[in-house]
Amino acid sequence: MVITRETDYALRLLRVLLDGELHAVRDIAESELVPQAFAYKILIKLSKAGLVCSIRGTAGGFRLCADLSQTSLYDLMQAMGERSDLNACMDPEYTCPWRATHGMCALHCRLSTIQQKLDAELRAHSLAELLTGTR
């Protein structure tokens, strides 16, 4: 699975914020059937990534502050701290025991080609497109 539950929830939370209005975490979580504590954790990650703005206080909440037409699904996945790796060997920090004794394998090379295509596809779709169905 490429998209985790956390990224799925992030997409749903962003969908609520598309109206540009300020929303309380409780209302966002209720609207999208996301546990409130999890919604808050995700909104903090989205805030750190510059996708949403948080307003503190009793009249506070979260609102969209990024142009989602300029933000890709790949960007969101990165903001959530996940990778789209097909296999552990796609991670540059992975130490492959095969590579240490035999060099680069043909499987890695083929998977790398697929990985590049997958990453390009994830970058090709903006969040606005995914959330509204328009290009």
Side-chain angles (χ1 to χ4, degrees):
M1 179 183 319
V2 175
I3 295 178
T4 64
R5 181 180 308 242
E6 187 176 34
T7 297
D8 175 59
Y9 283 170
L11 282 165
R12 297 198 278 149
L13 300 177
L14 288 169
R15 179 173 53 194
V16 173
L17 301 175
L18 282 173
D19 65 7
E21 301 295 322
L22 187 65
H23 295 271
V25 175
R26 178 179 40 81
D27 297 336
I28 299 169
E30 259 180 39
S31 171
E32 292 299 322
L33 306 174
V34 175
Q36 187 171 334
F38 202 27
Y40 182 75
K41 177 183 162 192
I42 292 167
L43 287 163
I44 293 301
K45 283 187 177 184
L46 293 173
S47 179
K48 287 180 181 176
L51 297 174
V52 302
C53 298
S54 65
I55 311 298
R56 294 183 176 253
T58 55
F62 290 87
R63 73 168 183 265
L64 191 62
C65 65
D67 180 358
L68 296 187
S69 67
Q70 300 300 313
T71 307
S72 70
L73 181 55
Y74 184 90
D75 297 331
L76 178 63
M77 291 171 67
Q78 295 294 305
M80 291 293 101
E82 65 183 80
R83 298 179 51 93
S84 63
D85 293 340
L86 289 173
N87 192 354
C89 72
M90 295 297 103
D91 184 345
E93 295 181 19
Y94 176 73
T95 304
C96 176
W98 174 272
R99 193 179 314 161
T101 57
H102 297 87
M104 191 68 70
C105 70
L107 178 60
H108 175 87
C109 294
R110 289 185 187 101
L111 287 176
S112 182
T113 300
I114 296 168
Q115 182 71 59
Q116 290 170 7
K117 290 177 183 178
L118 173 61
D119 288 347
E121 190 67 23
L122 293 171
R123 286 183 175 106
H125 298 281
S126 75
L127 296 181
E129 172 192 339
L130 293 170
L131 295 170
T132 65
T134 60
R135 273 205 170 247

